[in-house]
């Protein structure tokens, strides 16, 4: 493929979704993998600094509000880890330009708290913070916050819509020039440029103003995730970046078009929102090296080989076939769902041959069951697939989930990033120093100033 960036104003964006033990369910079991990185400040610092050196757009930490011992073999570092605001505050001191994303769950928080914490982090980072808005999908969280039941999807998103709007309004309660600080006159603050909010809505009553000055970015960029209709609407209304799990290329293109098509009704342009699917790149210096690492990881998966979820996914009952026998021709010939056919092809590509076994299909399914695309190959092959999705508007960039840490990430940074840069897809230097700069987003006007201008005040 060949992409001429000079003739196109789109630029590929790359971020890291940190799984400190690796995204692959067996990533932590490799001899060279770090297993305690989630609690090691030096490890976290080194990851963020590597990404910054490679000119990544952001470092992203998700969050979970519940945990249990049954997560032992499935993504352990995602369930037990440091609190994101604290950890990101730590990383602001050891990085200079990379964007830093915090996750906050609107279902179990208050708008004033989140507005205050995010604005504070924006100052500490020099305008490099973004907020990942989540409503929470784990019903166990309710029991940790004095509730008997986790809210349903409709209530969570109704709550989140108002929550986010209140936070955005609070960020604007101080105009940029509200602090006069005139030593001669003794005027520290111009009270006409400080605004009470006096919000009274269905879920919240918030007086304001915020007790933090307007953030350096004016409005802190927002991110969200999900593929449901409500999550798409929230993203189209508020978000600058949408994270999504897309394994199939055709479905990714449909999702991309669907979300971008919702922007106009909120008065927004397509350049204000970036779609970034998760990507699990298993890179080798050569194709053979990548395949060998994939086989090594597959053999380390701890599982009882329950084939029922896979059978349901492809629409064929595989439970009666031997694990190490070839994927039966009768099963392949009876596949009617295009998505199932594409899943099998992805498993064949990862394994490096078409005559895969039931076990090999299961291994691939186990690696992507959480929804992010796993691709295996040489740096050129990985770059080819990234370019295909980007050029064909299936993605504006990718939220990388390294299969194992830190080696899986190091190989991507050493070999794939230079290849993307050679093709003119990815930056070689930062365009600025804020999160907004990285995505070409303008600093927005204060809504209270804009309102006064409209009213002629």
């Amino acid at each position: 493929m060949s992409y001429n960036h000079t003739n196109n104003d789109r630029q590929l964006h790359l971020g890291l979704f940190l799984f400190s033990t690796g995204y692959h369910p067996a990533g932590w079991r490799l001899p060279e993998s770090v297993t305690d990185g989630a609690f090691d400040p030096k490890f976290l610092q080194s990851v963020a600094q590597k990404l910054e050196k490679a000119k990544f757009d952001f470092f992203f930490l998700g969050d979970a509000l519940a945990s249990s011992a049954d997560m032992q073999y499935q993504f352990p570092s995602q369930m037990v880890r440091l609190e994101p605001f604290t950890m990101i505050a730590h990383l602001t001191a050891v990085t200079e330009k990379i964007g830093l994303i915090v996750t906050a769950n609107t279902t179990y928080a208050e708008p004033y708290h989140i507005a205050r914490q995010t604005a504070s982090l924006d100052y500490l980072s020099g305008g490099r913070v973004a907020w990942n808005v989540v409503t929470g999908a784990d019903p166990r969280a309710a029991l940790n916050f004095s509730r008997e039941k986790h809210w349903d999807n409709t209530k969570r998103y109704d709550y989140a819509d108002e929550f986010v709007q209140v936070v955005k309004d609070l960020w604007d309660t101080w105009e940029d020039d509200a602090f006069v600080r005139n030593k001669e006159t003794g005027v520290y603050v111009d009270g006409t440029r400080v605004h009470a909010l006096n919000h009274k809505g269905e879920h919240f009553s918030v007086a304001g103003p915020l007790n933090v000055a307007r953030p350096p970015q004016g409005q802190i960029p927002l991110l969200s995730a999900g593929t449901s209709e409500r999550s798409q609407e929230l993203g189209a209304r508020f978000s600058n970046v949408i994270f999504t799990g897309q394994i199939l290329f055709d479905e990714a293109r449909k999702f991309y078009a669907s979300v971008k098509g919702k922007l106009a009704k909120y008065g927004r342009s397509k350049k204000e929102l970036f779609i970034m699917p998760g990507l699990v790149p298993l890179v080798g210096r050569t194709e053979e090296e990548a395949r060998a690492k994939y086989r090594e990881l597959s053999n380390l998966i701890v599982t009882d080989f329950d084939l029922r979820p896979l059978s349901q996914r492809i629409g064929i009952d595989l439970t009666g076939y031997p694990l190490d026998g070839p994927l039966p021709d009768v099963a392949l010939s009876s596949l009617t769902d295009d998505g199932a056919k594409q899943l099998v092809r992805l498993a064949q590509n990862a394994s490096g041959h078409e005559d895969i076994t039931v076990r090999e299909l299961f291994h691939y399914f186990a690696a992507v069951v959480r929804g992010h695309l796993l691709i295996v190959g040489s740096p050129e092959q990985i770059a080819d697939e990234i370019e295909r999705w980007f050029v064909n508007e299936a993605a504006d960039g990718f939220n990388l989930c390294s299969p194992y840490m830190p080696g899986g990430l190091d190989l991507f940074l050493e070999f794939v990033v230079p290849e993307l840069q050679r093709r003119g897809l990815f930056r070689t230097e930062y365009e600025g120093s804020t999160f907004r700069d990285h995505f070409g987003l303008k600093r927005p006007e204060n809504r209270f100033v804009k309102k006064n201008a409209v009213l002629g005040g």
Side-chain angles (χ1 to χ4, degrees):
M1 290 187 182
S2 178
Y3 178 80
N4 189 343
H5 179 63
T6 60
N7 295 329
N8 194 311
D9 60 359
R10 291 179 72 220
Q11 175 183 264
L12 180 75
H13 296 279
L14 294 175
L16 178 75
F17 185 1
L18 179 66
F19 290 77
S20 63
T21 56
Y23 182 85
H24 192 285
W28 68 278
R29 297 191 67 203
L30 290 173
E32 69 268 31
S33 291
V34 170
T35 59
D36 60 353
F39 302 100
D40 182 352
K42 296 296 185 184
F43 174 82
L44 297 169
Q45 289 173 20
S46 69
V47 171
Q49 289 167 343
K50 288 176 186 177
L51 296 173
E52 185 168 75
K53 185 178 180 180
K55 315 305 178 188
F56 265 47
D57 291 82
F58 58 78
F59 174 103
F60 167 44
L61 182 70
D63 197 23
L65 298 179
S67 184
S68 65
D70 64 7
M71 55 80 190
Q72 182 171 354
Y73 297 112
Q74 293 290 330
F75 308 104
S77 66
Q78 288 305 97
M79 303 300 291
V80 182
R81 58 186 170 188
L82 297 177
E83 188 278 322
F85 280 80
T86 309
M87 196 270 268
I88 291 299
H90 172 74
L91 293 181
T92 65
V94 296
T95 56
E96 295 181 352
K97 290 191 175 182
I98 190 168
L100 300 168
I101 300 174
V102 291
T103 297
N105 189 323
T106 57
T107 304
Y108 301 104
E110 287 287 333
Y112 197 91
H113 281 147
I114 300 304
R116 187 185 188 199
Q117 289 176 296
T118 50
S120 298
L121 279 180
D122 208 39
Y123 275 100
L124 291 173
S125 66
R128 293 186 287 127
V129 164
W131 169 28
N132 177 42
V133 181
V134 300
T135 68
D138 189 341
R140 297 175 302 176
L143 303 179
N144 293 332
F145 290 86
S146 304
R147 297 182 189 174
E148 295 181 358
K149 185 179 179 181
H150 189 58
W151 294 341
D152 63 30
N153 189 68
T154 298
K155 183 172 182 178
R156 293 201 316 273
Y157 275 98
D158 288 345
Y159 194 82
D161 284 342
E162 185 179 346
F163 189 114
V164 173
Q165 189 60 62
V166 172
V167 170
K168 289 174 67 66
D169 289 343
L170 283 169
W171 286 332
D172 274 355
T173 50
W174 291 81
E175 295 182 24
D176 292 322
D177 55 357
F179 287 93
V180 178
R181 300 187 180 98
N182 190 317
K183 293 184 179 182
E184 293 183 2
T185 63
V187 176
Y188 194 83
V189 171
D190 181 347
T192 66
R193 291 178 169 83
V194 184
H195 304 274
L197 188 59
N198 294 325
H199 172 90
K200 293 187 183 298
E202 182 180 353
H203 304 287
F204 303 105
S205 176
V206 182
L210 191 63
N211 63 347
V212 180
R214 193 172 190 237
Q217 296 184 93
Q219 287 283 306
I220 292 170
L222 300 181
L223 304 91
S224 59
T227 56
S228 71
E229 190 63 26
R230 281 303 302 268
S231 67
Q232 288 189 45
E233 289 293 340
L234 183 142
R237 180 181 176 187
F238 293 119
S239 297
N240 300 110
V241 178
I242 288 183
F243 297 142
T244 178
Q246 301 289 340
I247 296 176
L248 308 178
F249 176 75
D250 292 338
E251 291 301 314
R253 292 191 69 200
K254 290 177 183 177
F255 178 82
Y256 185 101
S258 174
V259 176
K260 297 269 187 170
K262 299 177 189 298
L263 291 168
K265 69 179 177 182
Y266 296 108
R268 305 181 67 200
S269 75
K270 293 182 179 180
K271 293 182 179 181
E272 295 178 72
L273 177 63
F274 300 83
I275 310 297
M276 298 184 66
L279 179 67
V280 189
L282 185 48
V283 187
R285 293 172 181 81
T286 63
E287 180 180 352
E288 292 73 20
E289 182 178 285
R291 307 281 179 220
K293 183 60 69 175
Y294 175 69
R295 289 192 295 271
E296 182 180 5
L297 283 166
S298 295
N299 291 332
L300 290 173
I301 294 177
V302 177
T303 179
D304 58 3
F305 287 102
D306 180 0
L307 295 174
R308 289 172 296 180
L310 173 58
S311 297
Q312 184 177 12
R313 175 64 182 83
I314 67 171
I316 299 294
D317 185 3
L318 296 174
T319 57
Y321 294 100
L323 278 174
D324 292 315
L327 198 63
D329 291 338
V330 63
L332 290 174
S333 62
S334 60
L335 287 176
T336 58
D337 179 63
D338 285 340
K341 293 177 182 177
Q342 290 180 58
L343 179 63
V344 171
R345 282 198 292 271
L346 287 169
Q348 292 169 330
N349 291 339
S351 299
H353 53 268
E354 292 190 5
D355 56 336
I356 59 173
T357 64
V358 173
R359 184 189 299 271
E360 287 174 314
L361 179 59
F362 177 88
H363 280 157
Y364 186 80
F365 179 72
V368 302
V369 70
R370 287 196 63 181
H372 297 313
L373 175 66
L374 169 67
I375 51 178
V376 180
S378 67
E380 294 76 18
Q381 290 170 321
I382 301 292
D384 283 346
E385 194 66 5
I386 289 173
E387 184 171 358
R388 182 170 77 99
W389 282 56
F390 177 69
V391 170
N392 290 286
E393 296 190 341
D396 292 311
F398 290 94
N399 197 15
L400 296 188
C401 310
S402 182
Y404 60 100
M405 289 291 288
L409 175 63
D410 291 343
L411 285 169
F412 186 91
L413 299 181
E414 183 178 356
F415 295 104
V416 181
V417 169
E419 178 63 21
L420 295 172
Q421 291 170 332
R422 185 189 66 78
R423 301 181 187 197
L425 284 163
F426 189 62
R427 67 169 66 87
T428 56
E429 293 294 339
Y430 284 113
E431 297 81 6
S433 59
T434 71
F435 195 103
R436 286 187 170 275
D437 289 338
H438 301 341
F439 284 87
L441 297 168
K442 295 180 180 178
R443 190 176 189 272
E445 185 180 2
N446 186 301
R447 65 196 58 222
F448 290 100
V449 174
K450 187 175 183 179
K451 179 180 178 180
N452 288 338
V454 171
L455 296 174

